[in-house]
Amino acid sequence: MDIGQVLTEIEDHVVPRLKLDVGEARLYYHLLRHSRFVGKHDVLISVAQLAEVLNCSKNTVKHRLRTLQDKKIIDVTNTGWAGTRIKVFLPTEIQGAVPDETAPQVQDIEAIDFYKDTKYRPAILEREQGRCFYCRRTLTDEDSGLDHAEPQRANGTNSYRNVVAACHSCNSSKGDDTAEEFVRKLYRRGFLGAAELEERLADVAKLKQGLLRPII
Ligand SMILES: [Zn+2]
């Protein structure tokens, strides 16, 4: 087995597509390590052991086992006195987790016009977790739109590295400010706290570096 390939599939497909949180991913890695990575299909382990290894409560382990099972990443086949027998699936064995190589090629995200192509709007909204990129207010259908972090007049592009979801108020008051200038203004006007300002500035930096990729 090519473990590097498996890890790449987990990072590139399983985690974003099945929305694994850090705890679920950690548990999945641990279970893989003791099953598929050593040539077995399943692992017999107790919840108490897992709680100790993962440094969390037994309830947390049980919850994560349930969510991994719901996502069809594992199958808890038997719980008995000797522990819990868990069948562990590889990314390619999880339905819908890894794109089929024979399927049409996924569009190159760098080439997509996220401002003009409206079908990608939900992906931007989801990346922003349904909140305005600048003031973090929860967006509604009536009060949301797309905005350029770096203004178009300053050669801001329509890439996911520059297009954000914003509320109407931010959209109209930002004008030709850069995203950094604008969130500082929001801070001075009392719409953002100091910690929020730092977070917004960090997100602006991440956006520009291409680290805030929407899932398309
Ligand atoms: Zn806003």
Side-chain angles (χ1 to χ4, degrees), residues 131-137 139 143 165-171 182 186:
R131 291 168 179 272
C132 172
F133 182 77
Y134 305 114
C135 71
R136 302 308 282 156
R137 187 157 69 186
L139 296 170
D143 184 21
C167 69
H168 286 171
S169 165
C170 287
N171 219 328
F182 184 63
L186 288 177

Side-chain angles (χ1 to χ4, degrees), residues 156-177:
T157 69
N158 291 352
S159 143
Y160 70 94
R161 297 160 184 261
N162 194 47
V163 170
V164 299
C167 69
H168 286 171
S169 165
C170 287
N171 219 328
S172 59
S173 54
K174 181 170 171 289
D176 283 342
D177 287 348

Side-chain angles (χ1 to χ4, degrees), residues 168-202:
H168 286 171
S169 165
C170 287
N171 219 328
S172 59
S173 54
K174 181 170 171 289
D176 283 342
D177 287 348
T178 64
E180 289 92 341
E181 286 165 348
F182 184 63
V183 292
R184 287 204 167 90
K185 257 186 205 169
L186 288 177
Y187 168 67
R188 286 197 296 273
R189 292 172 187 167
F191 291 108
L192 293 175
E196 286 171 313
L197 172 65
E198 290 308 313
E199 192 187 88
R200 299 325 309 129
L201 288 171

